[in-house]
Amino acid sequence: MTVESLLHRAQEQRPLPHGGIILAATPLGNPLDASIRLLDALASADIIAAEDTRRTRALADALGVMITGTVVSNFDHNESDRAGHFVAEAQAGKRILVVTDAGMPAVSDPGFPLVVAARAAGVPVTCLPGPSAVPTALALSGVGMGHFTFLGFAPRKDGARREFFSNLLTATTATCFFESPHRLQATLDIAVEILGARRPVAVARELTKRFEEVRSGSAAEVAEWAHAKEVKGEICVVIGAVDPEELGVDSADVVGEVEGLVAGGMRLKAAAGEIAKRHNLSKREVYEAVLHAREDSE
C-alpha cells in the first residue's frame, strides 16, 4: 500500500475533530518518521499552532504536504496568552493542530496551557501519537530501567543541579532528562561527584538524525567522553537506578574504610574519593562524613 493510498484512507476516515484541539507528535529529525495522520492533519487543519512556524513549513515541504490553514506561532513565551484565542476558534468550529519543533507537544514543549484551557472550556482534545525523545533514548541507552522517571530539563544553576542529583542518590528507577550541549560537561561532572563514578549513564544526541550517537557506560566514562569532544545537538540523558545492594550503605557507614586508607598514607580527599567510588556514593558526602566523625570523637 502506497503512502498516497494510506493518506487517502486517512482522509476518508478522518476522525480528526472540527471544533477541537489536536496535539500531534512531529519527527525528532528524520521526516520519514511522520505518521500518515500527521500528514493529513497538516493538510487539513484550519489553524496550526507551531512552536516555530518556519520549521513547521519546512517539515510540510519535506513531506510534500500543502498547508491550507493559517500557521500561528505558539511558543514558551506566548502560549499562555494565546490559549484562550485557540479555544475560542475551536468553539467556533475550527480544527486546531498543535505541533512543536520535534516530538510530542506538552512534554517539555509548548502545548500544556492550551490543553488545560480546552479541558476547562469543554473543547475536545485528541492526540496523534508518534516520535518522542524520551522513550527513544531509554530504548537505546542500554541502561536497565523497568520503570523510569522523566524530569524535563536539568536545572541551569549549579546549586539547583546539585540538589537535582542529590534527589537521585537512592532512585530505584532510571531517570531521563534533557540537557543543553553547552552545559553537558558540567552536569555530568556533578553527576559523578554526587552519584558516584560507577552509576550507569547514557547520553543520546541527535536522535534519528544523520549524526545520531548514543554513548553509555559509567558516569565517569561518559563524563570523560563529554570532555574529550565537543558534543553538539539535542541531548537526552539517562541515569540508571542505584544498585539495590548499595541502598543500605550511606556515607557514615564507610568512614572506617576511609580512615583505614588514610592510616596507610593516603590523603583524606583521595581516600574519600576512592571509597565513594567503591560504593557508588558522593565523594563530597563521604569526605564530610569523615570530618563530622572526627569532630564528634574530639
Side-chain angles (χ1 to χ4, degrees), residues 9 24 26 36 48 50 57 229 231 251-252 257:
R9 288 186 60 183
T26 52
I36 296 298
I48 300 177
R57 291 188 183 280
K229 65 174 295 183
V231 182
S251 299
E257 294 182 56

Side-chain angles (χ1 to χ4, degrees), residues 108 113 164:
S108 289
F164 177 85

Side-chain angles (χ1 to χ4, degrees), residues 169-170 195 198-199 242-250 277-281:
L169 273 169
T170 58
L195 301 179
R198 295 188 300 168
R199 181 69 75 92
V242 65
D243 186 337
E245 294 183 358
E246 297 175 351
L247 284 175
V249 179
D250 60 28
K277 182 178 179 180
R278 183 181 303 173
H279 293 284
N280 201 31
L281 296 171

Side-chain angles (χ1 to χ4, degrees), residues 95-121:
R95 176 181 288 163
I96 314 296
L97 175 65
V98 182
V99 294
T100 64
D101 292 345
M104 180 63 70
V107 181
S108 289
D109 272 326
F112 181 71
L114 178 53
V115 173
V116 173
R119 295 293 187 199

Side-chain angles (χ1 to χ4, degrees), residues 7 10-11 14 16 22-27 31-72 95-101 105 128:
L7 183 56
Q11 291 168 345
R14 192 167 285 180
L16 305 179
I22 305 166
L23 306 177
T26 52
L32 295 180
D33 289 334
S35 71
I36 296 298
R37 297 179 71 200
L38 172 61
L39 271 65
D40 180 28
L42 286 169
S44 65
D46 298 302
I47 297 174
I48 300 177
E51 183 176 11
D52 185 324
T53 59
R54 293 168 299 179
R55 292 186 66 167
T56 297
R57 291 188 183 280
L59 174 62
D61 288 342
L63 297 173
V65 174
M66 180 178 293
I67 293 176
T68 58
T70 304
V71 183
V72 181
R95 176 181 288 163
I96 314 296
L97 175 65
V98 182
V99 294
T100 64
D101 292 345
L128 308 186

Side-chain angles (χ1 to χ4, degrees), residues 257-259 261-262 266-276 286:
E257 294 182 56
V258 176
E259 293 289 24
L261 293 180
V262 172
M266 187 177 290
R267 297 180 65 181
L268 175 57
K269 286 189 175 180
E274 177 67 25
I275 297 304
V286 170

